[in-house]
Amino acid sequence: MSAATGQAVGEDGGPVAVDPHLVRQISDNIDTIRHAIEKAAGEAERDPAAVTLIAVGKVQPVERVEAALLAGQRVFGENRVQEAKSKWPDFRSRYEGVELHLIGPLQTNKVKEAVELFDVIQTVDRPKLARELAKEMEKQGRKLACYIQVNTGEEEQKAGVSPAEADAFIAECRDMLGLTVVGLMCIPPVEDNPALHFAMLREVAKRNGLANLSMGMSGDFETAVEMGATHVRVGTAIFGARDYD
Ligand SMILES: *Cc1c(COP(=O)(O)O)cnc(C)c1O
């Protein structure tokens, strides 16, 4: 293992070849999901090309993420700045066209690294973070696309602005801070019917003139696509179960 990247390295110091069986397996999983997206889009009379599949590689062994890269996947999501930092600078140096989305909560003391590492921040959820992001993007000359995270279930423990505060917060981010707000993101409560939350997110986006909806995960991405998702965030169905030990 290389201490710097946490990646397996060969005798010449280069990366170890990824097992072709693993590449095949992950490639098949991605194809299966794409077909399901096409079917769901078709049922809703939507263009499947308007749906981007974000592969969520958090907690997965790096070989699985690299297998997805070898299978041609280029849009990825990560939850944590530290974990992203351990894989993506290396992957970016070896694979063209990577687009990396931050989909987990962002602490203000990690804003600098987040702006350096990511292309899209999906979890803008409070004024202090929005201000720090605007300042840091200005400083680095990097205008990242942003999503506002909406806590559609108004869950105590979950990040995101409440639906009632969403309009004002979107206006603040866009008009006062100059953030490039492209859409909204939500994570419905596990025990609820996700469709109600997806519908609510779509409604908030519509009345604020926002085009993108990041909603739907392994268990509910088809419903999300039927309800207008432009971005689905899928981990387990591509990479298998996460091993948190
Ligand atoms: C982990 C995670 C996902 C992917 O979840 P799966 O159920 O494994 O598809 C999607 N979105 C967010 C915000 C996540 O944290």
Side-chain angles (χ1 to χ4, degrees):
M1 286 287 253
S2 146
T5 63
Q7 154 135 32
V9 289
E11 279 169 32
D12 62 354
V16 165
V18 178
D19 179 355
H21 292 104
L22 181 63
V23 178
R24 167 67 67 87
Q25 187 193 328
I26 287 189
S27 179
D28 286 350
N29 292 348
I30 291 171
D31 285 347
T32 302
I33 293 161
R34 288 208 177 284
H35 285 131
I37 289 172
E38 276 167 31
K39 188 158 172 277
E43 274 159 21
E45 296 182 19
R46 297 188 58 212
D47 177 3
V51 183
T52 299
L53 172 61
I54 302 175
V56 179
K58 68 175 182 209
V59 189
Q60 300 287 353
V62 282
E63 312 81 72
R64 292 192 199 169
V65 179
E66 184 151 12
L69 283 160
L70 288 165
Q73 177 69 27
R74 285 296 179 271
V75 186
F76 290 84
E78 288 283 350
N79 272 56
R80 292 163 153 275
V81 173
Q82 279 327 99
E83 189 183 350
K85 203 176 166 183
S86 74
K87 325 174 193 169
W88 289 100
D90 170 54
F91 283 149
R92 281 197 204 265
S93 73
R94 295 187 289 117
Y95 296 91
E96 297 267 331
V98 166
E99 182 180 298
L100 194 59
H101 294 238
L102 177 65
I103 60 168
L106 179 56
Q107 294 168 273
T108 46
N109 64 0
K110 300 266 169 65
V111 160
K112 179 175 179 284
E113 284 175 301
V115 172
E116 285 165 2
L117 273 167
F118 289 91
D119 302 297
V120 181
I121 308 284
Q122 291 208 359
T123 48
V124 182
D125 64 354
R126 58 197 192 279
K128 184 165 192 275
L129 175 63
R131 285 195 296 272
E132 293 296 320
L133 280 167
K135 226 193 301 176
E136 188 60 33
M137 287 183 203
E138 179 75 34
K139 199 161 148 191
Q140 294 189 26
R142 273 173 64 76
K143 279 260 170 196
L144 276 57
C146 294
Y147 288 69
I148 307 300
Q149 184 174 355
V150 182
N151 188 358
T152 54
E154 303 196 58
E155 293 172 282
E156 196 78 50
Q157 78 287 4
K158 207 166 265 174
V161 286
S162 74
E165 294 167 321
D167 296 3
F169 185 56
I170 293 163
E172 180 179 355
C173 290
R174 251 196 319 215
D175 307 334
M176 290 168 65
L177 297 171
L179 290 176
T180 307
V181 180
V182 298
L184 303 178
M185 178 270 213
C186 77
I187 310 169
V190 280
E191 68 280 5
D192 279 13
N193 176 353
L196 302 172
H197 296 270
F198 298 156
M200 190 191 296
L201 198 72
R202 181 174 65 186
E203 206 43 51
V204 178
K206 192 176 167 200
R207 69 173 184 246
N208 285 281
L210 295 172
N212 290 2
L213 290 170
S214 172
M215 56 190 201
M217 320 200 322
S218 291
D220 55 18
F221 69 88
E222 288 141 304
T223 306
V225 168
E226 285 173 23
M227 307 210 55
T230 61
H231 292 71
V232 293
R233 311 177 307 265
V234 180
T236 316
I238 296 176
F239 297 111
R242 290 179 285 273
D243 181 357
Y244 283 96
D245 297 332

